Amino acid sequence: MPLTLFYGEDDRNVPLDLVKRTAATLPTAKLVMCPNEGHISVMVNQIEAIAKVLTGD
């Protein structure tokens, strides 16, 4: 099953190396890096991109 992970590059709660290691263990994972986004703002400001992935558009 495809999996897309969105990560805000300014996230201070989850270290990037942890995200990259986790994504590497999931064979279908795609990591999308969002510049100028934090832990919560990525969900708010990137909702259209997230919705496209969820709907398959």
Side-chain angles (χ1 to χ4, degrees):
M1 172 178 284
L3 173 66
T4 303
L5 304 171
F6 287 84
Y7 180 79
E9 291 181 356
D10 294 339
D11 191 328
R12 294 183 182 166
N13 295 313
V14 182
L16 177 57
D17 63 320
L18 176 60
V19 173
K20 286 183 175 181
R21 285 184 295 166
T22 301
T25 66
L26 303 165
T28 62
K30 174 184 174 187
L31 179 57
V32 176
M33 302 292 294
C34 301
N36 304 313
E37 299 290 359
H39 190 73
I40 301 296
S41 69
V42 71
M43 292 182 283
V44 175
N45 297 328
Q46 300 302 319
I47 192 64
E48 289 182 22
I50 294 168
K52 282 184 177 185
V53 169
L54 291 173
T55 61
D57 288 343

